[in-house]
Amino acid sequence: MILNIAAYHFVPVDDPAALAAQVRELAEAGDLRGTVLVAGEGINVFLAGAESAIQVFLDALRSDPRFADIVVKESRSRRQPFARLKVKLKQEIIAFRRDNASPLVGRAPAVAPEDLARWIERGEDDSGRRLVLLDTRNREEIGYGTFSGALTLPIDNFTDLPEALTPHRSALADAVVVSFCTGGIRCEKAALWMQAEGMANVLQLEGGILGYFERVGGYGYDGRCFVFDERVALDAELKPLADSNA
């Protein structure tokens, strides 16, 4: 079996090129494939390979104090889902191109998967406000599955979210809004931006859909979670769609 990891960490990186070179060397040494994005705001990792090689990579990455606390989500597949290794320098580890959305300054409040499952069952948060789940992913991803009754937006790119959300803002004023995405990185930026725009009632789902699957399962979720590799999508047990079709 192949071990797949997804991880991101927002932290100031003074020399992104040096970090990218170091990461490439570590990944190549373990014959790992996937994509690693490096920017001045941190790192975004999608890698797959032998479990022992992944562990060596993570141990080395965490030996850097900047990434000692990086949170990693794991899943397994029968086949290597990536064709090659790509390590890229970017302006952002997830492009949003909006001011007031940097997690380097501070994080928006988060809700744990276990608490969200309880809110979904009740239809409201612990203070009695109605619950709205906001999907910050694109329409292709949403086509594979999303939370039941979630507010979905007709976008193709994350950068389109602010404009697409505008017509819904007044209707969300009396709700607790929980933004979510695949692994947490997009909803983290989206929640910060929405707060800066005056939406004080916004939270982010800690760990995204994959974290929810890992800790709660599929309660309240319809379908699978799309991933950008040859696994195609994962079910609530983190099993790849590609494996079920094999």
Side-chain angles (χ1 to χ4, degrees):
M1 294 291 282
I2 297 294
L3 179 60
N4 301 269
I5 60 168
Y8 72 91
H9 196 65
F10 287 106
V11 66
V13 176
D14 294 333
D15 191 344
L19 176 60
Q22 177 188 6
V23 167
R24 178 179 289 280
E25 182 178 354
L26 288 171
E28 288 178 341
D31 193 27
L32 304 180
R33 300 180 194 175
T35 300
V36 181
L37 306 179
V38 180
E41 65 178 7
I43 193 169
N44 194 6
V45 178
F46 302 93
L47 289 173
E51 185 162 355
S52 58
I54 290 286
Q55 193 57 58
V56 169
F57 175 87
L58 289 175
D59 288 346
L61 185 63
R62 286 173 169 148
S63 69
D64 185 328
R66 295 174 296 181
F67 304 107
D69 298 328
I70 192 169
V71 176
V72 177
K73 299 173 191 67
E74 299 181 354
S75 64
R76 285 167 172 78
S77 58
R78 295 178 190 169
R79 296 183 297 273
Q80 169 61 260
F82 298 102
R84 60 189 183 277
L85 173 66
K86 296 184 286 186
V87 180
K88 299 180 178 181
L89 291 173
K90 295 286 188 178
Q91 290 297 114
E92 300 176 78
I93 56 174
I94 181 67
F96 193 45
R97 305 185 193 126
R98 292 295 190 282
D99 295 330
N100 302 316
S102 174
L104 296 180
V105 177
R107 296 190 77 215
V111 58
E114 296 84 355
D115 292 329
L116 181 61
R118 189 177 71 254
W119 293 359
I120 290 172
E121 182 179 16
R122 296 170 50 185
E124 59 186 25
D125 70 359
D126 293 333
S127 66
R129 291 181 298 176
R130 70 182 180 93
L131 173 66
V132 174
L133 292 158
L134 172 63
D135 201 327
T136 64
R137 302 172 302 154
N138 67 47
R139 67 180 94 210
E140 179 184 6
E141 298 169 86
I142 292 166
Y144 282 85
T146 188
F147 282 100
S148 301
L151 172 58
T152 60
L153 304 173
I155 62 175
D156 295 311
N157 298 292
F158 183 45
T159 52
D160 299 331
L161 182 142
E163 183 178 358
L165 183 63
T166 298
H168 302 278
R169 286 187 54 174
S170 60
L172 298 176
D174 67 335
V176 57
V177 179
V178 177
S179 65
F180 68 91
C181 58
T182 304
I185 187 169
R186 282 176 285 186
C187 55
E188 185 154 351
K189 281 197 170 184
L192 275 174
W193 175 82
M194 286 187 279
Q195 282 199 325
E197 290 291 302
M199 298 177 65
N201 55 330
V202 177
L203 307 174
Q204 58 182 309
L205 173 57
E206 190 71 52
I209 298 166
L210 297 183
Y212 186 88
F213 283 175
E214 188 174 59
R215 291 166 58 176
V216 174
Y219 181 77
Y221 194 93
D222 289 334
R224 301 172 185 264
C225 179
F226 180 85
V227 289
F228 291 90
D229 57 59
E230 293 179 14
R231 292 172 296 165
V232 183
L234 305 183
D235 66 16
E237 296 179 347
L238 299 177
K239 294 178 181 177
L241 176 60
D243 285 0
S244 67
N245 292 338

